[in-house]
Amino acid sequence: MKFRTLLFVSLVSLITVAQEIPSDATPRLAMFIPQQVLQSTTRGKKLLSEFQVVEKNWSDKMEAKQKEGQDLQKQLTSASIDDAAKEKINRQLRDLEFDFKKMQEDAQAEVGKAQQKIQVQFNNEITPIVETIAKERKLQMILNYQQGLYTIFDTAWGLDFTNEVAKRYDAASADKPAAAKTPAPASAPAKKK
């Protein structure tokens, strides 16, 4: 499953922020599109790229293993190969198949861990921002957007809340590195007399 799909599912936990209002009042809703925030913000792009690096590394390793298997298959079909060489290549192919299956399991586990780590990190960073904006706007519910889930969707209305979250997410992300890089003032060494 792709990171983006899992991200949408996990962010469903962000959908409600309750405020006490009279029962006859019109509900106050907003739409949140996490994928938009990930793709449009500097911090979101960084998180996505971290995941994509892990995914690409495993993909490259698996492609190399497949190429190795294809090369062995070509050798096996050569007309000039003797029975001893065929047996050796067949053993190599069996070993390669075992290694490839193990590599697939390892890749799935590592990509899953990277996905989960980034997902948790994104949720931890974005949740306070979503909650703050929801309180400011006195929202009762925030719907988590998923393509194809809604029959009618007003894009301007849907992007209003998400764009505000993205703007504040970028601002908060820009503040963090600056604060982390600012060194504490060093005290002057005492002069010896």
Side-chain angles (χ1 to χ4, degrees):
M1 212 177 223
K2 289 287 187 191
F3 174 69
R4 295 169 188 119
T5 304
L6 287 176
L7 181 63
F8 286 134
V9 173
S10 73
L11 287 175
V12 170
S13 63
L14 284 173
I15 64 170
T16 57
V17 177
Q19 298 286 328
E20 288 196 27
I21 61 168
S23 61
D24 61 335
T26 303
R28 297 192 46 88
L29 308 172
M31 182 69 67
F32 180 54
I33 309 169
Q35 190 62 33
Q36 179 74 20
V37 174
L38 280 168
Q39 292 175 342
S40 68
T41 61
T42 303
R43 177 67 180 148
K45 289 175 187 176
K46 183 178 181 210
L47 287 174
L48 280 177
S49 72
E50 288 174 17
F51 171 74
Q52 290 165 345
V53 165
V54 172
E55 194 174 45
K56 174 98 171 82
N57 287 341
W58 278 106
S59 177
D60 291 348
K61 288 178 187 178
M62 292 175 67
E63 281 180 27
K65 216 36 126 169
Q66 286 177 327
K67 172 91 170 85
E68 188 179 337
Q70 291 169 351
D71 292 345
L72 286 172
Q73 285 288 350
K74 284 180 186 175
Q75 290 176 20
L76 193 60
T77 59
S78 173
S80 62
I81 194 167
D82 63 14
D83 288 341
K86 280 185 182 181
E87 183 56 36
K88 181 180 177 187
I89 292 172
N90 279 324
R91 278 194 307 271
Q92 289 175 321
L93 282 168
R94 281 191 299 272
D95 291 345
L96 189 66
E97 185 179 348
F98 177 80
D99 291 345
F100 187 76
K101 286 180 182 177
K102 175 73 171 116
M103 186 181 282
Q104 283 179 314
E105 291 169 5
D106 292 346
Q108 189 174 12
E110 190 172 327
V111 167
K113 283 180 188 176
Q115 201 170 41
Q116 185 176 13
K117 176 187 169 215
I118 290 167
Q119 199 170 342
V120 166
Q121 191 170 356
F122 179 73
N123 285 343
N124 288 341
E125 293 170 357
I126 207 76
T127 299
I129 296 167
V130 169
E131 289 174 349
T132 298
I133 298 168
K135 285 177 185 173
E136 289 171 3
R137 294 183 178 191
K138 296 181 172 99
L139 299 175
Q140 294 172 290
M141 183 181 295
I142 300 167
L143 302 171
N144 200 38
Y145 178 81
Q146 288 184 334
Q147 182 131 6
L149 189 61
Y150 301 97
T151 305
I152 299 173
F153 179 70
D154 180 345
T155 307
W157 174 80
L159 288 174
D160 177 58
F161 183 82
T162 300
N163 288 339
E164 183 63 23
V165 171
K167 183 176 90 178
R168 292 189 193 187
Y169 187 49
D170 257 345
S173 298
D175 291 344
K176 285 183 182 178
K181 290 180 185 176
T182 307
S187 57
K191 293 184 180 180
K192 292 184 182 181
K193 293 185 180 183

